Amino acid sequence: MENSGVTVMVNVEKKKSNAAWICGLIGFITSLPNSFCAMICAGVSVAVEESAGGDGSGSAGYFWFIVLVSILCFALSFMGKSKNSFVTGLIVLLGGIFILINGFIGFGSMLWGTATGGLYIASGIVSILNKKRAN
């Protein structure tokens, strides 16, 4: 056969991945025991501080903050394919790092906090990478 001089160009488009919301969903499921533990600790913390004569608002706010960060990361992980996926991915990534650090500090929730933080970090990274992909 002769070479007819025809050049074939192949354009490979990378599609946006669904891994962001899948990791976010699994991360939220693994955060439920951690969140339940944080809510119990918040209630106990309020009771102990009030019995000691305080107003009960000291460390309880920190425990509720952990629960709110987890819910925020879960909600934002579903926006991993949107046009704002870089911003949402960055927020989920920072929330995942916070949860991961908390998982190592709070030894009672180390297993669940580490799993949840790792999954939210993966979700954030995929969301950031989705910004560069088409459709």
Side-chain angles (χ1 to χ4, degrees):
M1 266 191 126
E2 289 182 28
N3 187 357
S4 61
V6 176
T7 305
V8 177
M9 303 269 304
V10 177
N11 188 9
V12 178
E13 286 188 16
K14 293 184 177 182
K15 302 279 182 171
K16 291 188 177 186
S17 175
N18 289 325
W21 69 266
I22 293 170
C23 286
L25 180 64
I26 296 170
F28 183 71
I29 291 169
T30 60
S31 77
L32 291 177
N34 197 20
S35 298
F36 184 68
C37 177
M39 285 189 278
I40 290 173
C41 290
V44 170
S45 174
V46 168
V48 168
E49 288 179 18
E50 286 178 352
S51 68
D55 63 353
S57 63
S59 60
Y62 175 73
F63 292 119
W64 283 110
F65 182 70
I66 294 169
V67 174
L68 291 176
V69 167
S70 182
I71 292 171
L72 178 71
C73 287
F74 171 65
L76 290 178
S77 67
F78 285 96
M79 298 177 66
K81 289 177 77 173
S82 70
K83 60 182 174 181
N84 297 327
S85 64
F86 181 79
V87 175
T88 59
L90 191 62
I91 293 170
V92 172
L93 181 68
L94 292 174
I97 291 170
F98 174 78
I99 292 172
L100 185 67
I101 291 170
N102 181 57
F104 284 118
I105 292 172
F107 294 112
S109 62
M110 185 179 225
L111 173 69
W112 296 111
T114 305
T116 303
L119 286 164
Y120 282 145
I121 288 171
S123 176
I125 291 171
V126 170
S127 293
I128 291 170
L129 293 177
N130 274 344
K131 180 67 178 170
K132 298 177 183 176
R133 296 179 177 171
N135 294 336

